[in-house]
Amino acid sequence: MTASTRPQIVTCSWSAYRRQFGTAVRISLGVPRVKLPDPRYTDRAHYIYVAELAPRRAYWDAPDFDERYLAQVAQFADDIDVKLSAIEPENGALCLLCWEKQITGPEQCHRRLAAGFLAERYGVDIPELDAAPGGCT
């Protein structure tokens, strides 16, 4: 993915997501219980899913969660690039969303790790749009 073809990438929790943030891209194993299509979120029948950005269940209780997750993302970085570049951006952006219930706020969420990895890889800023303290539930 080149800078000229890459849409803006942002992150957010599903609960704070608004369609104007960009195309909803699921990066978690969990799925919200919203019947799609729903014009508040997407006209699609299913959320777009980038499985390579979803942490595996085995990582959740591991003391080295961050390291395991970042190793996974690095291993599949080229696949992630291909998938992200194939997504049509709504409102000029892709919004990476998670639905993980175990998390109590953005500072614990894997979105921060995904954003940091992709920001470094692409040389861009990837903002978090959910400022709420319980940003992942």
Side-chain angles (χ1 to χ4, degrees):
M1 190 183 311
T2 66
S4 63
T5 61
R6 183 179 36 260
Q8 179 184 15
I9 299 172
V10 299
T11 67
C12 191
S13 70
W14 74 270
S15 60
Y17 172 74
R18 301 296 174 262
R19 194 167 181 172
Q20 67 264 23
F21 293 171
T23 302
V25 179
R26 182 179 138 218
I27 65 164
S28 65
L29 297 176
V31 182
R33 294 183 180 146
V34 175
K35 184 173 167 55
L36 297 180
D38 182 322
R40 294 174 300 168
Y41 306 107
T42 183
D43 295 331
R44 301 174 194 281
H46 303 282
Y47 283 102
I48 296 168
Y49 182 42
V50 178
E52 295 81 358
L53 287 172
R56 304 295 156 242
R57 281 186 175 88
Y59 302 171
W60 286 117
D61 294 324
D64 59 346
F65 174 90
D66 290 10
E67 292 80 12
R68 287 182 182 207
Y69 178 71
L70 288 171
Q72 170 190 307
V73 173
Q75 178 183 355
F76 295 108
D78 291 340
D79 295 328
I80 293 166
D81 292 347
V82 169
K83 287 186 175 186
L84 292 178
S85 66
I87 300 169
E88 184 69 32
E90 187 172 15
N91 299 314
L94 304 180
C95 188
L96 307 181
L97 302 171
C98 75
W99 289 268
E100 308 303 350
K101 295 289 187 186
Q102 304 94 319
I103 306 302
T104 59
E107 70 284 346
Q108 295 177 332
C109 188
H110 72 283
R111 290 192 316 266
R112 72 180 160 79
L113 298 171
F117 181 90
L118 295 173
E120 185 174 319
R121 184 168 176 87
Y122 302 150
V124 297
D125 206 20
I126 299 180
E128 167 64 39
L129 300 183
D130 185 0
C136 291
T137 58

